[in-house]
Each structure stands twice: as C-alpha cells, then as structure tokens.
Amino acid sequence: MSNTAIQQRIRGSIVAIVTPMTLKDEVDYPALAQLIEWHIEQGTDGIVIVGTSGESPTVSVEEHCELIRFAVQTVAGRIPVIAGSGGNSTIEAIKLTQFAQSVGADASLQVVPYYNRPTQEGMIQHFCTIARSTNLPIILYNVPGRTVADLSNDSIIQLAQEPNIIGVKDATGNLARGIDLIERAPKNFIVLSGDDASAMALMFCGARGNITVTGNITPALMHQMCAAAIAGDLAQARRINEIMLPLHQQLFVEPNPVPVKWVLAEMGKITHHLRLPLVPLSAPFHAGLRTALKLAQR
C-alpha cells in the first residue's frame, strides 16, 4: 500500500491497545484477540500495538515482535495496525521496524529516543536513518513527559520533508504548539493528538485523529467523538467528550497503563496484571475510576 493510501486510512480513534498478561506474567494472546475483535466491532478506526499502553518497556524483543505479528494477523486488514517499533537505540528501532514491515503492519510509530537525551540534530538523524531503512510509513511520537527529550516543531517540519515520514503523534497536550504544527506542516502530513483531554480541541483545529488511552475503555464513544470533531460537529463532539471527560482525568492518576488495565479488569476484559516495575493501582484511586466508568457507561 502506498504512503498516500495509508495516510488516507489513518484517522479517527486509534486505540493504543494494552497488552493483556496472565498471572504467570505471560502475554495473554487469547485476551488480546478478544480485545481486538471488540474494538473492531465498536468502531475503533485503528490500533497501535506495543506502544506505551502496551507496556513496550517491559516486553522482550521476541514478545515485541510476536505482538506485532499477532495483531496484524488478527486484524487481517480490517483497520490499520500501527506498530510501536521505536527505541532509544537507532539500530534496535530499525530491526523492529523492518520486522513490522515484513509481517504486514500498516505503519510504524517511532518514539523520541528516551534516557540518552539526544539533541535536535541527533533526533533528526535518528528518524531519517530509520525512515530510509524501510518502506513502512513512519509516524513520529513526541511525548516529552516520558522521554525528557522534546522534538521541536521546527525539527518535525524538517522531518516531514522525508518521503517516508507521514505524520506525528503530538502528546504534548499543548494546543498552541499543536496548532502551529498543523498550520506549518505539509498538506498531507498527518497530525494526531496523543492527549485525550485536549484531543477534541486539536481535531477542531485540523488534527486527523487521536491515538487514545481512553478508547481502550469506551471505543464506540471515542470513535463517535472523533468522527464528530473531524466533521466539525461541535455540539455532538462536546456532548460525547463530556461523557468521557472523567475517564480522561482518572486514567492518569497513576502512570499509564496502570489505571486503564485496572478498569479493563473491572469490565472483565483482561486479568489485572502488570510487569514490574509497574504495580497494581493504589486502592485510594479505585472509587474515582469506578465512578468515571459508570458515567461513561450510562
């Protein structure tokens, strides 16, 4: 599929899906298959596999590859699958991305390198090197709250000239910055929100969709809200977003994906298990999340 074709398909509610795990600390592939089928039934427009919500820092390389392969096989072309195949090692990111291409992923999500704190020039060279190593379309992922390193809008605009780099997930939550990027980026460059609380507003300003955590819990509502916002239906988008707003807030009371996996376990979708150093949701937050879930399920 050409970059233009995949650019047209990547829009709306794209769920950063969790990685279910058993109490034996193994990836729960049957539960993942059920989650994927549920998302497709509920209208989810795309899936990111092995992103932050998928506990990418704690899965092995072998598990990382198998999760990508399994998601592509299970989705079977019904919606786009974006493989989280980035890293703070350029060589490792290339290997993961080439694997994702080999098994049929639609695109790659490339996170800003974390911990080693590269300069803007270092990040530009990192992403260009990856993009030139594969035919898989690349979506940049800027989340400075986790990576410390922050890819500037100027750097993103420069990277947008690279033929294989087709978009960015802006998880800064900074609307002014997102709007500046939308206005300056090439026409076909995809800007996606990566912040549920501000996603509606950014879509009204021209973003093409939302890579969402909340959509793990309310896939139909998130799909409907994104469709309304992209279509410019302010009243409908605001009505739906207000229903999800308590979840937007409560799902980040502890580091993602701790709260979202707790809620999915409450819903009976998965077993509530995380890999260390993540631990189960603290008891004081249970009531707030239960209330937010009930409001969203009315």
Side-chain angles (χ1 to χ4, degrees):
M1 185 178 294
S2 68
N3 282 1
T4 300
I6 192 62
Q7 281 173 309
Q8 292 173 347
R9 292 187 70 203
I10 294 177
R11 61 189 299 111
S13 174
I14 303 167
V15 172
I17 199 165
V18 303
T19 298
M21 294 179 182
T22 70
L23 294 178
K24 294 182 178 180
D25 214 26
E26 299 170 343
V27 175
D28 190 343
Y29 289 102
L32 178 58
Q34 290 175 0
L35 281 181
I36 290 171
E37 293 299 332
W38 179 57
H39 280 293
I40 293 172
E41 291 166 7
Q42 293 289 305
T44 291
D45 298 292
I47 285 173
V48 170
I49 188 73
V50 213
T52 305
S53 301
E55 291 178 77
S56 55
T58 56
V59 297
S60 68
V61 172
E62 292 76 18
E63 288 171 326
H64 198 133
C65 290
E66 178 59 17
L67 281 161
I68 295 170
R69 187 204 64 78
F70 183 85
V72 170
Q73 182 183 58
T74 304
V75 169
R78 290 173 288 177
I79 57 176
V81 174
I82 302 170
S85 57
N88 62 349
S89 161
T90 307
I91 293 172
E92 181 178 315
I94 287 171
K95 290 179 180 178
L96 287 172
T97 303
Q98 290 176 341
F99 177 84
Q101 178 183 328
S102 74
V103 296
D106 295 286
S108 164
L109 188 66
Q110 289 288 334
V111 69
V112 165
Y114 41 86
Y115 188 74
N116 40 15
R117 301 176 65 187
T119 63
Q120 295 298 311
E121 181 59 28
M123 288 185 273
I124 289 168
Q125 290 194 31
H126 169 82
F127 289 123
C128 285
T129 302
I130 296 166
R132 294 167 188 172
S133 76
T134 178
N135 293 323
L136 200 62
I138 302 295
I139 299 171
L140 308 171
Y141 176 18
N142 192 34
V143 57
R146 283 185 177 267
T147 61
V148 181
D150 185 354
L151 189 65
S152 72
N153 278 6
D154 287 344
S155 295
I156 294 170
I157 296 301
Q158 183 174 337
L159 286 163
Q161 308 308 312
E162 190 73 24
N164 221 28
I165 296 178
I166 66 167
V168 64
K169 173 186 176 182
D170 179 354
T172 64
N174 184 326
L175 282 175
R177 181 170 171 172
I179 293 166
D180 172 69
L181 185 57
I182 290 166
E183 291 179 347
R184 293 170 56 201
K187 182 179 178 181
N188 292 328
F189 190 76
I190 301 168
V191 176
L192 300 165
S193 173
D195 175 67
D196 281 314
S198 61
M200 182 189 71
L202 195 61
M203 284 185 282
F204 275 117
C205 294
R208 287 270 300 276
N210 180 29
I211 296 182
T212 172
V213 176
T214 304
N216 277 283
I217 307 301
T218 56
L221 285 175
M222 183 58 73
H223 164 74
Q224 293 161 14
M225 190 277 284
C226 289
I230 292 168
D233 188 341
L234 177 61
Q236 175 74 341
R238 286 187 62 185
R239 182 189 69 78
I240 299 170
N241 198 57
E242 285 174 5
I243 295 170
M244 294 188 291
L245 185 58
L247 276 175
H248 295 339
Q249 297 165 338
Q250 292 292 324
L251 286 174
F252 294 93
V253 292
E254 288 189 342
N256 179 46
V258 173
V260 71
K261 291 190 86 170
W262 184 89
V263 175
L264 284 167
E266 283 280 294
M267 296 169 67
K269 298 290 186 184
I270 65 171
T271 300
H272 183 47
H273 183 73
L274 304 112
R275 282 189 176 163
L276 290 170
L278 298 181
V279 294
L281 184 71
S282 302
F285 297 120
H286 292 188
L289 271 162
R290 285 195 179 104
T291 299
L293 179 61
K294 287 178 181 177
L295 290 171
Q297 291 178 329
R298 287 188 306 182

